[in-house]
Each structure stands twice: as C-alpha cells, then as structure tokens.
C-alpha cells in the first residue's frame, strides 16, 4: 500500500489535523498539512513534535525514528499546492455542512482525477458533504476519534455514490497505518460511535435530571464498571458472555423504562444556555480549573498510551 500512496494531504491544523498527520507519517507516508496562515502551520508542527516526544518517552518509537517521522511532514498554506498531487486528502475543518461542501468543491478543482477525498466529520452525511462534487464516487468519510494519534478506531462511511473501490482504498490505507477501520454498510447520522455515545449520554442525563443519582455516581459507574469491561468486550460480546436469556429477561422490563425522548435533554440545553460549555469555558456539568483539566487530560493520555503499548505487543 505504501508504494502506491506517495503523498497524503491533511487539511486543518486544529484539534485533529496534527494527530492524523503524525499517524500517517509514522506509517512512512509523505504528508502535507494545510493551514490558512504560517502561524497555524507553526502551531501544528509544534503539536506534531510534542506527539513525537510523547511516543518516544513511552517507547513507541526509537530516538532515530523521530527526525524521519517529522521530516515526512511539510506545512503548506496554499490549498492548490497542498492537494495538487496528493493520493489521499482528508479534511478536518469546522463541523459545518455548508463550509465542508464548498471546501470539497474547491479541492476537487485542484487535485488529480484519481485522488481519494475524505472527511473527518464526526457524524454529518457523506452524501450531503459530497453533493457538489463532480466525482462523488471518490469521496468517503474517515472518522478518526480524538486524540487521533492514540485512538485506533476509524469509522469508514460511504455516501450514496461512493465507489466500493474508494472504501477499499481508504480501509487498506488506514489498516496499513496501524488503525482499526470499521466500515459501515450504509450512512447514518452519527455513524456507530457517536450514536452509541449519545444514547449513553441521553440516559446518563435522564438519571441525573430525575434525581436517581448524582453526576459523580453516573460517571463513576461508567469509569469503574462499564468502561473497564467494554475495553475488552463490546456490547454484543458482553451480552453473549452474560447470557442472551438473561439479557432478554432484563430487556423485557428495562427497555421500556429507558429514556426515549427525541428532544435535546433539558439539563444539557439549560447548561449550554447559561453559558456553561464545559472545560473550554471553565464550567459545565463540573467546574474546570487549569490544574484539574491538565490532570484529567494527562490521565486519559496515559491510559490510551498503555493500550497502544498492549496493542503493539499483541501484533508481535
């Protein structure tokens, strides 16, 4: 695969772009990362250097690997130059359908007829994003999870006109880069991961809103029970291990008692309307000062790095 793919272009220098660029460079690919200004490129390259240092500190790369990996990544501020001869272009810009649609229509004018175009959208319709493309058969969603350099899963989602060859190309490229691609049979808003995540969030908020339990109790239940088990067995495997007759009996009385409201949960709406947006604003369901935020991000990163080390051992 690496012999066929000569250059990958990552569009976007924010939360996702640097980690995606690092992942492909780590796999041996030449990568262009596009940003609108030199300052944004500088910040992205610094972030990539920090990621490389983290991998080195955790034994995931060797010291001699670092200059080779980072040397494969080039920052570009000219969009035409960035995508002109790329084999694979992945976009990680603002999660706005109209913006993404216009962006891809422009990109298509600059790239070759064989370039595969991909969006890192978290849940928008690939058919809608590709609506203005002349060749939407070469467009696919490849949804990386944050942080992309530490999370193996990538959801590969075809649109209505996506060619099977495009899906195969993207899946093989991701697998070669050490990722775990999962291919959806058809598109659906939110894909697999966010639909599961938001189903859990809806029930979690309902439990808190109704006074059944505190937010701390709900989070602890997931962290110290569900989260630990689901890291090894998914929900369907867990049901098999627990016994489908048991899950059937529980479903018979519990399913109808779960929250099924089609509305945005009241607690979420009221919290946002009050200006509490979570860690980014310093307050959400919890209060976030700088130290607490650093601590939990560090803990999450350390846990994910331990999983990467285990993954590396398992493939030897």
């Amino acid at each position: 695969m690496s012999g066929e793919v000569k250059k990958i272009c990552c569009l976007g220098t924010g939360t996702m772009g640097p980690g995606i660029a690092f992942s492909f460079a780590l796999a041996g690919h030449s990568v262009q990362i596009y940003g609108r200004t030199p300052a944004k490129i500088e910040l992205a390259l610094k972030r990539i250097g920090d990621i490389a240092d983290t991998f080195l500190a955790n034994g995931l790369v060797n010291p001699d690997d670092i200059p080779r990996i980072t040397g494969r990544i080039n920052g570009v501020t000219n969009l035409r130059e960035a995508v002109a001869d790329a084999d694979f272009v992945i976009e990680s810009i603002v999660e706005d359908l109209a913006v993404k649609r216009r962006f891809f229509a422009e990109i298509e004018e600059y790239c070759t007829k064989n370039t595969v175009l991909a969006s890192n959208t978290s849940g928008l319709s690939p058919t809608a994003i590709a609506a203005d493309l002349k060749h939407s058969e070469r467009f696919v969603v490849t949804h990386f999870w944050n942080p992309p350099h530490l999370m193996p899963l990538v959801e590969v989602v075809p649109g209505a006109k996506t060619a099977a060859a495009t899906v195969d190309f993207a899946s093989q490229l991701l697998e070669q880069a050490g990722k775990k691609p999962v291919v959806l049979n058809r598109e659906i808003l939110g894909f697999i991961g966010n639909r599961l995540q938001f189903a859990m969030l809806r029930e979690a908020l309902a439990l808190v809103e109704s006074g059944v339990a505190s937010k701390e109790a709900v989070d602890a239940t997931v962290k110290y029970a569900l989260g630990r088990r689901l890291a090894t067995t998914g929900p369907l495997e867990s049901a098999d291990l627990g016994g489908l007759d048991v899950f059937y009996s529980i479903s018979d009385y519990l399913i109808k008692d779960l929250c099924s409201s089609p509305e945005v949960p009241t607690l979420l709406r009221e919290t946002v309307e009050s200006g509490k947006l979570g860690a980014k604003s310093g307050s959400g369901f919890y209060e976030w000062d700088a130290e607490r935020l650093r601590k939990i991000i560090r803990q999450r990163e350390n846990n994910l790095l331990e999983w990467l080390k285990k993954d590396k051992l398992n493939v030897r």
Side-chain angles (χ1 to χ4, degrees):
M1 193 74 191
S2 58
E4 300 173 11
V5 180
K6 295 179 181 178
K7 191 173 82 173
I8 291 173
C9 179
C10 296
L11 305 172
T13 56
T15 302
M16 302 296 286
I20 294 173
F22 176 85
S23 297
F24 283 123
L26 180 64
H29 295 291
S30 175
V31 181
Q32 299 252 62
I33 184 166
Y34 166 79
R36 288 177 293 175
T37 66
K40 289 184 179 295
I41 292 296
E42 184 179 353
L43 286 173
L45 294 178
K46 181 183 183 304
R47 175 61 181 143
I48 289 167
D50 291 341
I51 292 171
D53 289 342
T54 298
F55 270 55
L56 176 62
N58 284 272
L60 292 167
V61 296
N62 298 316
D64 293 343
D65 295 330
I66 299 297
R68 286 196 288 267
I69 296 167
T70 56
R72 296 183 186 119
I73 303 172
N74 182 41
V76 182
T77 56
N78 183 293
L79 183 59
R80 182 189 294 269
E81 178 186 344
V83 305
D85 57 347
D87 300 292
F88 182 76
V89 174
I90 177 168
E91 159 273 321
S92 299
I93 63 170
V94 63
E95 191 74 345
D96 182 293
L97 177 59
V99 173
K100 288 183 186 292
R101 183 180 291 179
R102 288 195 301 270
F103 197 49
F104 275 106
E106 181 180 2
I107 292 166
E108 189 177 39
E109 296 300 315
Y110 302 148
C111 63
T112 73
K113 64 179 181 180
N114 296 318
T115 303
V116 171
L117 305 177
S119 174
N120 186 42
T121 177
S122 298
L124 293 172
S125 160
T127 300
I129 296 174
D132 296 332
L133 294 180
K134 298 173 184 174
H135 299 285
S136 53
E137 71 278 0
R138 60 167 166 178
F139 177 86
V140 67
V141 162
T142 52
H143 175 224
F144 286 72
W145 282 70
N146 185 36
H149 54 287
L150 299 179
M151 297 286 277
L153 184 82
V154 182
E155 294 172 293
V156 180
V157 190
K161 296 182 179 179
T162 303
T166 299
V167 173
D168 291 343
F169 175 92
S171 299
Q172 291 173 37
L173 177 63
L174 291 164
E175 192 168 350
Q176 186 274 332
K179 298 302 180 182
K180 299 290 184 184
V182 294
V183 178
L184 276 67
N185 296 327
R186 63 177 178 85
E187 69 177 295
I188 188 170
L189 294 177
F191 317 141
I192 300 171
N194 270 319
R195 292 182 76 89
L196 293 173
Q197 181 171 243
F198 275 78
M200 179 179 287
L201 179 61
R202 179 172 63 180
E203 186 62 32
L205 288 170
L207 291 169
V208 176
E209 283 180 5
S210 63
V212 169
S214 68
K215 59 182 183 292
E216 293 86 357
V218 171
D219 278 343
T221 300
V222 174
K223 288 192 290 185
Y224 300 115
L226 292 175
R228 296 198 176 185
R229 188 170 66 190
L230 291 174
T232 304
T233 57
L236 302 181
E237 289 174 319
S238 294
D240 265 358
L241 292 177
L244 296 184
D245 53 335
V246 175
F247 274 75
Y248 179 87
S249 296
I250 295 172
S251 296
D252 190 48
Y253 67 81
L254 185 57
I255 291 292
K256 56 179 169 285
D257 199 53
L258 295 175
C259 179
S260 59
S261 171
E263 305 298 326
V264 173
T266 301
L267 180 57
L268 178 58
R269 177 177 52 78
E270 290 180 347
T271 304
V272 170
E273 288 177 351
S274 70
K276 296 181 177 182
L277 307 181
K280 68 170 74 175
S281 67
S283 180
F285 297 130
Y286 295 91
E287 297 301 312
W288 295 94
D289 58 30
E291 179 55 31
R292 179 177 185 177
L293 182 58
R294 277 196 298 270
K295 182 178 179 181
I296 200 165
I297 289 176
R298 190 184 309 118
Q299 182 180 5
R300 182 181 71 173
E301 184 176 84
N302 288 339
N303 287 341
L304 293 174
L305 283 164
E306 287 303 314
W307 275 109
L308 277 187
K309 294 174 189 177
K310 292 176 183 177
D311 290 343
K312 195 171 182 179
L313 289 172
N314 288 337
V315 298
R316 288 177 179 171

